[in-house]
Amino acid sequence: MRFVRPFRLLTSLAAAAVLLAPASMLSARAQAVQPVQQAAAVAEAAKPAAAKPAPSPTVGAASAAAVDPANSAPPKSLTATAIDTVKEVAKSAGGIFSRVPCLPPKGGVRPVGSLPHVAGKLAAGEPVVIVAFGSSSTQGYGTTSPEFTYPNRLAKQLRRQYPTADITIINRGKGGEDAPEMMKRLQPEVLDMKPDLVIWQVGTNAVLRDLDPAETAHQVEDGVARIQAAGADVVLVDPQYSPRVTERAESASKIVRLLRRIAELRHVGIFPRFEVMREWHDQQALPIDSFVIADGLHMNDWGYACFAQLLGDDIIRSVGQIKLGVNAPVSPLTNRPM
């Protein structure tokens, strides 16, 4: 029987996860990682020298210990007990890799609204197609890896929530665009995908390019109407709260108000990204550079993760209410612990 060491893998993964958190939250992460390191040290000290082979470069968590089912299990040694401790601590710390420690606004935000098409498909066990439509923050500019884009993070969250469902999220983000360019792509890149839900992030580049807010709103409303006519739910996502947007405060405020108005008129959802990110900074005291990269515009890995997580929470809550027959807007976002 040969034992290999899972400890380096576990502590490395936990340490890597800390890098995704803003500075004000690192202490909480350190508390989650510390028990893993302590348990690992106990197990390492308990091993005799002959039982400490060099680590294999291909070892994964699933191969942490070899087990022979044909032999009866002997009483657990100190080493085996320590290994079990590491496994249990790792399970409890597993939320680090699926949720980030971010909070919604304390007073709640406007809910995304009901999503009857998505809820109906999930209830019937049918495949669900979601299209993430937008510009560079949908495409994922500012992330360190494609897996950290908000559509990819959202997909993982929804698949964890609905493990038996066939959920596809298609990323249709293209940097630099706003409503005029997106409307040209709406049919071939969105509607032709036969989506059940379109998450439309729009308005940031309208602010940066000094586009007429009223004309932008007219185009977005037309697009929403076409998406609804195609039989899909809609969630609008307004601009991000970042220095390059807030330096044009009047234009940004107009776009945010107009998008909310469209959501009300067309009875669709809206995720108030601007409001959520402003609260991170103003009320939760997070420095701007803890969720925005050096260009002063795009979110970093943590910012995208928190955005996707809160959006996913609201989608899940809305679907749950519709499946229960409650055709009303979902309640405001509330904090969910990791």
Side-chain angles (χ1 to χ4, degrees):
M1 180 180 297
R2 187 172 77 91
F3 290 92
V4 294
R5 292 183 287 176
F7 313 116
R8 290 184 181 180
L9 174 63
L10 291 169
T11 54
S12 296
L13 286 174
V18 174
L19 297 178
L20 295 179
S24 63
M25 298 177 179
L26 290 180
S27 60
R29 283 290 176 83
Q31 293 173 5
V33 173
Q34 187 176 9
V36 179
Q37 295 173 328
Q38 291 174 341
V42 171
E44 187 68 13
K47 286 186 178 182
K52 299 180 180 179
S56 167
T58 60
V59 169
S63 59
V67 178
D68 183 358
N71 296 328
S72 59
K76 289 187 177 181
S77 65
L78 178 60
T79 298
T81 301
I83 289 175
D84 288 343
T85 300
V86 169
K87 289 180 179 180
E88 289 305 312
V89 173
K91 286 180 182 178
S92 66
I96 290 175
F97 307 105
S98 60
R99 294 185 66 83
V100 296
C102 72
L103 302 175
K106 294 177 182 178
V109 297
R110 184 184 303 274
V112 300
S114 63
L115 305 173
H117 294 92
V118 174
K121 288 290 190 72
L122 288 172
E126 298 176 3
V128 172
V129 175
I130 300 172
V131 174
F133 190 36
S135 57
S136 56
S137 59
T138 297
Q139 187 176 9
Y141 189 89
T143 61
T144 59
S145 169
E147 67 180 305
F148 297 151
T149 64
Y150 105 73
N152 283 340
R153 286 188 176 276
L154 178 62
K156 291 178 181 179
Q157 181 177 356
L158 295 180
R159 289 166 186 155
R160 288 194 301 271
Q161 179 69 22
Y162 310 108
T164 63
D166 180 4
I167 298 174
T168 300
I169 297 188
I170 302 169
N171 191 328
R172 287 291 187 259
K174 189 172 182 180
E177 291 193 349
D178 213 272
E181 297 82 12
M182 293 179 197
M183 288 298 290
K184 295 176 183 178
R185 297 194 290 127
L186 181 62
Q187 184 64 48
E189 297 193 21
V190 179
L191 301 182
D192 286 353
M193 300 298 102
K194 307 297 183 185
D196 302 296
L197 168 63
V198 176
I199 303 171
W200 190 358
Q201 167 261 311
V202 65
T204 298
N205 287 311
V207 173
L208 300 180
R209 291 160 50 186
D210 290 321
L211 299 182
D212 179 12
E215 179 59 26
T216 296
H218 174 75
Q219 293 172 321
V220 173
E221 186 174 3
D222 180 51
V224 169
R226 290 175 59 186
I227 294 169
Q228 289 179 307
D233 300 323
V234 182
V235 172
L236 296 173
V237 176
D238 63 19
Q240 63 263 47
Y241 181 84
S242 60
R244 286 184 57 193
V245 174
T246 57
E247 68 185 9
R248 300 169 181 265
E250 184 177 353
S251 179
S253 295
K254 286 181 179 179
I255 289 292
V256 169
R257 288 197 303 269
L258 287 169
L259 290 176
R260 290 182 180 179
R261 181 60 176 160
I262 292 168
E264 292 172 355
L265 290 173
R266 302 299 310 183
H267 303 288
V268 299
I270 185 164
F271 184 85
R273 181 171 55 156
F274 190 88
E275 177 185 339
V276 168
M277 294 178 69
R278 178 167 57 189
E279 174 118 351
W280 292 348
H281 180 253
D282 293 351
Q283 302 299 322
Q284 298 179 28
L286 297 181
I288 289 290
D289 61 7
S290 70
F291 54 85
V292 174
I293 64 174
D295 70 357
L297 178 61
H298 297 94
M299 289 183 285
N300 61 16
D301 287 337
W302 184 88
Y304 282 114
C306 191
F307 162 45
Q309 180 171 297
L310 297 179
L311 174 61
D313 287 347
D314 226 6
I315 289 173
I316 290 166
R317 191 177 298 110
S318 176
V319 167
Q321 290 204 350
I322 295 299
K323 289 173 73 174
L324 291 173
V326 181
N327 286 299
V330 296
S331 58
L333 286 170
T334 54
N335 178 36
R336 278 181 55 186
M338 277 175 49

